Amino acid sequence: MSSDPAIQPARPFTHEGATLIWEARGSGEPTFVLVHGIGMGRTVFNGLSERLAEHGRVIAIDLPGYGEAPEPPRTPTVERLADIVAAFLRSEGIAAPVFIGHSMGTQVITEIAARHPDLDARLVLIGPTVEIGQRNAWTQLARLGRDLLDESPKVFVVGAREYLRAGPNLRLKMRAMLVHKPELAYPRVAGDALVLRGEDDEVAPHAWCEQVASSLPRGTLVEVPGVGHEAMIKNPDPAADRILAWLGITATADATNP
């Protein structure tokens, strides 16, 4: 368990011409590695990071071209993003991480586990994208818009700031997300995997999340009542409680209660 949850200074890591930014807080085991979604950055995990840092080391990442990370010369594919994060973990000597990905971040961490099984990772997929048969920008944006209708001002402020920071290549980044086929990687994930879905999530429908969980050899689906796709921004506690309970670290909440 961590005794010092203070945030350490953010640092860059460069691999084959692309740079990510990472910051850490807490200490001990396990090491949680947090990977954000399309148009976002590591700051969307602030509340969740604070909770998890009470129980281990937490590393939050700005993928190349997001948050404070510089725009790479070419927009990376999801597979390339996975290789960059895997190279970072190896450079830091991090083994057996607990990856937590949100939205597009679930695609990245799935590819890491499938392409780099030696890392011995466990996965938490929060609101996994992108559903088979719905892989076009207008469908995804419409779903996100419906999901945001009932969200708090905090979600809008954080989300708008991060989308602006994602820069002029957001269209290319969206395309990289949409052409990726995570269902090809799910069966190749050897470790335990938790699919975490907000009950009101318009972006990650229940049927799709069930398919994701069943495609993962050791997958489990848990739903959080009364929240949508951006649940961890507005109130990270229900998600944190379920992640920790799934890991057997704490029993402050179970899979059926908010």
Side-chain angles (χ1 to χ4, degrees), residues 82-225:
D83 291 345
I84 293 167
V85 176
F88 158 69
L89 294 179
R90 291 193 178 96
S91 75
E92 292 295 315
I94 297 169
V98 177
F99 282 114
I100 300 175
H102 173 243
S103 199
M104 182 196 73
T106 66
Q107 297 172 239
V108 176
I109 67 172
T110 297
E111 283 293 344
I112 296 172
R115 295 166 69 86
H116 303 277
D118 58 295
L119 292 175
D120 192 25
R122 288 172 286 179
L123 305 185
V124 178
L125 283 62
I126 305 177
T129 48
V130 281
E131 183 184 3
I132 296 172
Q134 304 296 326
R135 290 171 184 164
N136 66 79
W138 290 114
T139 296
Q140 296 301 314
L141 290 171
R143 286 182 170 185
L144 181 60
R146 291 196 302 271
D147 191 89
L148 289 173
L149 286 176
D150 296 325
E151 286 292 5
S152 67
K154 178 181 179 181
V155 172
F156 282 101
V157 170
V158 172
R161 180 188 65 202
E162 293 302 329
Y163 266 87
L164 287 173
R165 294 168 77 181
N169 291 333
L170 188 57
R171 180 181 62 83
L172 295 176
K173 296 169 185 174
M174 174 72 78
R175 183 178 183 277
M177 180 187 81
L178 293 173
V179 299
H180 179 245
K181 297 180 179 179
E183 68 274 8
L184 300 181
Y186 293 141
R188 295 157 46 211
V189 174
D192 294 337
L194 173 66
V195 179
L196 195 60
R197 176 183 181 268
E199 183 181 54
D200 302 324
D201 190 341
E202 295 274 356
V203 180
H206 177 81
W208 167 242
C209 290
E210 279 192 325
Q211 182 175 343
V212 172
S214 64
S215 298
L216 292 157
R218 301 171 68 176
T220 301
L221 173 62
V222 171
E223 293 194 320
V224 183

Side-chain angles (χ1 to χ4, degrees), residues 5-8 10 22-26 32 34-36 40-54 58-62 67-68 100 102 126 154 157-159 161-162 165 230-237 239-240:
I7 303 175
Q8 300 168 10
W22 66 283
E23 67 179 17
R25 69 175 83 187
F32 300 94
L34 280 51
V35 182
H36 59 80
M40 295 284 126
R42 71 183 191 275
T43 60
V44 302
F45 286 116
N46 281 346
L48 185 61
S49 294
E50 185 175 344
R51 279 290 314 277
L52 296 177
E54 300 170 3
V58 179
I59 294 175
I61 290 172
D62 285 338
E68 296 178 353
I100 300 175
H102 173 243
I126 305 177
K154 178 181 179 181
V157 170
V158 172
R161 180 188 65 202
E162 293 302 329
R165 294 168 77 181
E230 310 293 347
M232 65 181 185
I233 301 176
K234 180 168 61 176
N235 178 11
D237 289 336

